[in-house]
Amino acid sequence: HEGLHIMVARLVAKSITDKEIANLKELLKKRADLAGDDARLPGLTLEITQSIVCASHNRYIRLLFNTLARTSRASRTVFESPVYFDPEIQVFFERLVEAFERRDPEMAALLVTRVFESGSKGYLNAINLWAGDLP
């Protein structure tokens, strides 16, 4: 999955619109405000990941991630839920949006690479949320 996520991050950095960046920033602000709201945080986190994948403006990528979501959903467990509440996920998303705003595909790719290198279960689960239910 790492290569796919890196490719998506690079593509989004090149294709994201100012409106999509503003939307992601607003979603991240809402997410920061929801710290501790165990009922609403997972849904908002998923909305952020969906927005990132949609910002690729690539139908194939969206279909691929939808397929991955459907095939991997059965293997998800309740033990993954803490990812939504990990404060480092917020930092990861904020840095990623900064790379997108700078239109810096190399920085976006580096952030994703570092997440995979860190071996952090929370980070990896956040990245895998990109495979959420996309429109």
Side-chain angles (χ1 to χ4, degrees):
H1 287 254
E2 180 180 357
L4 177 60
H5 293 297
I6 290 169
M7 180 186 72
V8 170
R10 284 187 171 145
L11 184 60
V12 171
K14 293 176 185 178
S15 63
I16 195 166
T17 66
D18 290 341
K19 184 177 179 179
E20 289 166 327
I21 289 170
N23 179 59
L24 281 169
K25 285 182 172 184
E26 183 60 31
L27 291 172
L28 286 171
K29 183 181 180 314
K30 287 180 186 178
R31 190 181 187 287
D33 292 343
L34 286 180
D37 187 337
D38 294 359
R40 294 178 24 201
L41 196 58
L44 188 54
T45 303
L46 183 58
E47 186 177 349
I48 291 166
T49 58
Q50 291 171 339
S51 296
I52 290 171
V53 172
C54 287
S56 72
H57 300 274
N58 184 303
R59 182 177 292 193
Y60 171 75
I61 295 292
R62 290 172 59 187
L63 291 172
L64 180 61
F65 276 87
N66 270 336
T67 301
L68 289 172
R70 287 187 184 97
T71 58
S72 66
R73 185 181 329 258
S75 67
R76 290 185 181 165
T77 68
V78 72
F79 299 108
E80 290 182 341
S81 62
V83 67
Y84 297 114
F85 313 110
D86 181 349
E88 294 301 315
I89 299 308
Q90 181 75 20
V91 173
F92 167 72
F93 281 135
E94 289 172 358
R95 297 301 170 261
L96 192 59
V97 171
E98 287 173 12
F100 294 159
E101 187 171 28
R102 292 182 182 141
R103 309 302 197 264
D104 189 342
E106 295 310 313
M107 180 56 74
L110 180 61
L111 286 163
V112 173
T113 300
R114 292 275 167 88
V115 165
F116 276 92
E117 287 175 354
S118 76
S120 166
K121 183 177 180 183
Y123 279 137
L124 292 174
N125 286 336
I127 285 182
N128 284 323
L129 284 174
W130 285 13
D133 295 324
L134 298 174

